[in-house]
């Protein structure tokens, strides 16, 4: 069965952060999400789509229960740039398998080269998601989110490099691992050697 991209609008990291705090405080509502979306988009349809994405990235995220259980560790982790990059990338990738697949491909590419072009990413992703306009549109949504989170850099248009992350907390590593297992539910979390997978190239 052909995979679907799923994400069609970019959500800024500060918006995700505010929505997650509201979710943890028990005050997140569709109306609150719509107000956040209205700060970035105009038009009823675009706001409605953004509201749905905000909810999927936060309250409806597969990682939300874990974050709620480790609430203080979450807030501590996002204070540090490297940890923040991992945490918000994990949220994106747990909510959208498209992000997970992109991260695996980026990891493979960055393992052998320092700079990666948009066209190479599109070419690699097209073998998974077919070559249609939703694929580059999806990348145009998630790549700026990874940049804003601090995972990637874009030194020039269409070229990406990865940041060297200084990870301070175990929580950041754990939640990034959990985002991997959300997308690989048949693997045993207790025995699988995560670091061997290209998804973990970003914290080496």
């Amino acid at each position: 069965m052909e995979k679907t991209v799923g994400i069609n609008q970019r959500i800024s990291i500060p918006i995700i952060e505010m929505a997650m705090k509201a979710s943890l405080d028990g005050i997140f509502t569709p109306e609150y999400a719509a107000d956040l979306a209205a700060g970035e988009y105009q038009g009823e349809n675009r706001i409605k789509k953004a509201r749905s994405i905000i909810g999927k990235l936060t309250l409806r995220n597969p990682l939300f229960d874990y974050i709620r259980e480790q609430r203080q560790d979450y807030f501590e982790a996002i204070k540090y740039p490297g940890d923040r990059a991992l945490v918000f990338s994990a949220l994106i990738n747990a909510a959208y398998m498209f992000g997970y697949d992109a991260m695996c491909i980026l990891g493979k590419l960055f393992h052998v080269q320092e700079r990666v072009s948009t066209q190479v990413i599109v070419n690699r992703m097209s073998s998974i998601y077919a070559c249609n306009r939703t694929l580059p549109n999806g990348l145009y949504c998630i790549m700026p989110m990874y940049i804003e989170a601090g995972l990637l850099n874009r030194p020039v248009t269409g070229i990406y490099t990865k940041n060297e992350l200084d990870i301070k907390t175990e929580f950041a590593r754990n939640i990034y691992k959990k985002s991997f297992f959300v997308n690989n539910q048949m693997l045993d979390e207790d025995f699988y050697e995560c670091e061997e997978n290209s998804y973990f190239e970003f914290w080496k």
Side-chain angles (χ1 to χ4, degrees), residues 1-8 56 95-101 125 128-130 132 134-135 138 183:
M1 183 177 176
E2 185 178 299
K3 291 185 177 182
T4 56
V5 172
I7 188 166
N8 53 21
K56 190 169 182 180
Y96 292 96
M97 184 173 276
F98 180 77
Y100 166 79
D101 287 329
M125 291 288 283
I128 305 173
Y129 290 89
N132 58 59
T134 64
L135 171 54
N183 290 284

Side-chain angles (χ1 to χ4, degrees), residues 31-196:
E31 292 74 23
Y32 178 80
D35 287 343
L36 291 178
E40 297 201 333
Y41 293 102
Q42 295 181 338
E44 184 178 346
N45 286 340
R46 290 175 69 81
I47 290 173
K48 186 176 179 180
K49 287 180 182 178
R51 181 188 71 185
S52 177
I53 295 169
I54 290 168
K56 190 169 182 180
L57 287 166
T58 55
L59 186 62
R60 301 196 311 275
N61 197 296
L63 300 175
F64 179 73
D65 287 344
Y66 176 72
I67 293 174
R68 182 167 53 188
E69 292 168 2
Q70 309 287 332
R71 176 190 174 106
Q72 291 309 120
D73 291 337
Y74 161 78
F75 284 116
E76 179 68 18
I78 63 174
K79 293 178 183 177
Y80 305 108
D83 301 61
R84 184 180 179 85
L86 279 190
V87 169
F88 286 107
S89 297
L91 288 173
I92 295 165
N93 299 342
Y96 292 96
M97 184 173 276
F98 180 77
Y100 166 79
D101 287 329
M103 196 68 70
C104 288
I105 287 171
L106 284 166
K108 288 178 183 176
L109 294 168
F110 283 131
H111 188 71
V112 296
Q113 60 196 67
E114 293 184 356
R115 296 158 68 93
V116 175
S117 72
T118 299
Q119 191 55 55
V120 169
I121 304 168
V122 170
N123 290 344
R124 295 291 185 92
M125 291 288 283
S126 65
S127 66
I128 305 173
Y129 290 89
C131 193
N132 58 59
R133 66 185 182 85
T134 64
L135 171 54
N137 287 349
L139 287 173
Y140 293 143
C141 293
I142 64 168
M143 297 301 276
M145 293 165 74
Y146 294 140
I147 292 169
E148 191 174 22
L151 194 78
L152 301 176
N153 265 321
R154 184 173 58 194
V156 295
T157 302
I159 298 294
Y160 301 95
T161 61
K162 73 181 178 80
N163 286 327
E164 297 301 321
L165 302 182
D166 179 16
I167 310 303
K168 303 287 189 184
T169 69
E170 199 60 30
F171 175 86
R173 293 182 184 275
N174 287 340
I175 198 169
Y176 192 76
K177 283 182 181 179
K178 287 185 177 297
S179 72
F180 173 81
F181 287 108
V182 164
N183 290 284
N184 294 277
Q185 296 185 10
M186 300 301 290
L187 296 178
D188 190 325
E189 193 168 342
D190 293 326
F191 296 101
Y192 185 78
E193 294 292 335
C194 292
E195 284 77 1
E196 299 301 316

